[in-house]
Amino acid sequence: MNKQGILVVVSGFSGAGKGTVMKELVRRYDRYALSISATTRSPRPGEAEGVDYFYKTMEEFRAMAASDALIEYACYVNNYYGTPRAYVEEQLAAGKDVILEIEIQGALKIREKYPDALLLFITPPSAEELRRRLVGRGTEDNDTIARRLARAGEEAEGIEQYDYLVINDELDACVEATHRLIELQHQKASKNMELINQIREDLKKISEGER
């Protein structure tokens, strides 16, 4: 396996369960590092600073963007979200596969800057199941849920720009499917040039020795 870590961008409709999938993936396998995003939205019940997000004021967030401290950032349902640069680059250099859980605008910006990034889109098995999960969270009013469903309709127009679609119907199966896709990315020939060049050199030596 190549030593450099892989950048894995995970998106999905709000309510698709992508956060739960990513946290379980990190819990099961020590090769992953989950990047923590900065956001201007308020914490939900049970969320903690530096664990779920870095919660910033609008002024703080704008300062980070202006100083190039974010790889990407975007506005979603009236709040800003962004990916801090330093942590991501440090973990990749250390050989960790870094998972970015971000929405579609940010994902496509990441693809522009990191063409080798793996883009995964997580979705429930149906639109009705998505609506049921949003309502079942019990953390938002009907107007916010309606905005999230409307936004999901917009995001659905860009799913084909991702590398793989992962259905989150049953958590364990979804986690393992995601893990397998990341493992496959490590096997791409373009990510194993050191090994390929070594094999070429060894074959050349063997061939010359057989003459």
Side-chain angles (χ1 to χ4, degrees):
M1 184 180 292
N2 56 308
K3 296 179 181 178
Q4 177 76 10
I6 288 175
L7 189 59
V8 183
V9 180
V10 177
S11 303
F13 305 125
S14 178
K18 57 188 179 296
T20 302
V21 172
M22 294 308 100
K23 288 175 182 176
E24 181 62 17
L25 190 69
V26 171
R27 187 189 71 79
R28 293 186 190 185
Y29 303 99
D30 61 8
R31 60 189 271 185
Y32 297 119
L34 183 60
S35 177
I36 302 172
S37 296
T39 183
T40 59
R41 80 158 170 79
S42 300
R44 292 177 183 150
E47 292 184 343
E49 167 72 16
V51 176
D52 299 281
Y53 288 95
F54 296 113
Y55 299 96
K56 304 294 181 182
T57 65
M58 187 62 74
E59 291 73 21
E60 289 172 334
F61 193 94
R62 286 172 176 163
M64 292 180 71
S67 64
D68 200 32
L70 300 172
I71 293 176
E72 58 75 35
Y73 65 93
C75 185
Y76 177 77
V77 192
N78 301 322
N79 282 298
Y80 281 91
Y81 297 79
T83 302
R85 179 184 301 279
Y87 176 81
V88 170
E89 295 184 347
E90 288 170 3
Q91 293 299 311
L92 288 174
K96 290 279 190 176
D97 293 336
V98 180
I99 301 173
L100 307 184
E101 184 193 327
I102 54 180
E103 48 67 59
I104 192 168
Q105 285 177 286
L108 297 182
K109 289 179 182 178
I110 291 289
R111 172 56 62 81
E112 291 176 1
K113 295 181 179 180
Y114 299 87
D116 288 338
L118 174 64
L119 270 59
L120 306 177
F121 195 94
I122 294 181
T123 178
S126 68
E128 179 56 34
E129 175 62 14
L130 176 64
R131 187 193 68 79
R132 188 191 69 77
R133 291 182 187 180
L134 285 171
V135 173
R137 287 199 305 204
T139 59
E140 297 164 336
D141 59 29
N142 289 335
D143 287 343
T144 301
I145 291 173
R147 286 198 300 272
R148 292 195 183 280
L149 288 170
R151 174 67 175 180
E154 297 171 0
E155 291 174 329
E157 297 300 320
I159 296 175
E160 69 275 9
Q161 298 181 74
Y162 285 72
D163 296 308
Y164 297 99
L165 184 69
V166 186
I167 307 299
N168 184 18
D169 191 10
E170 194 276 319
L171 178 61
D172 185 69
C174 185
V175 170
E176 291 308 310
T178 302
H179 177 62
R180 286 195 299 271
L181 289 172
I182 298 171
E183 286 189 317
L184 283 174
Q185 188 77 352
H186 271 286
Q187 301 307 314
K188 288 183 67 174
S190 62
K191 292 187 177 296
N192 289 276
M193 290 309 301
E194 182 178 347
L195 175 60
I196 290 170
N197 288 330
Q198 183 63 56
I199 291 173
R200 287 171 175 166
E201 184 65 25
D202 291 346
L203 286 171
K204 182 179 178 181
K205 292 177 180 177
I206 293 171
S207 178
E208 291 173 348
E210 292 292 326
R211 293 174 186 173

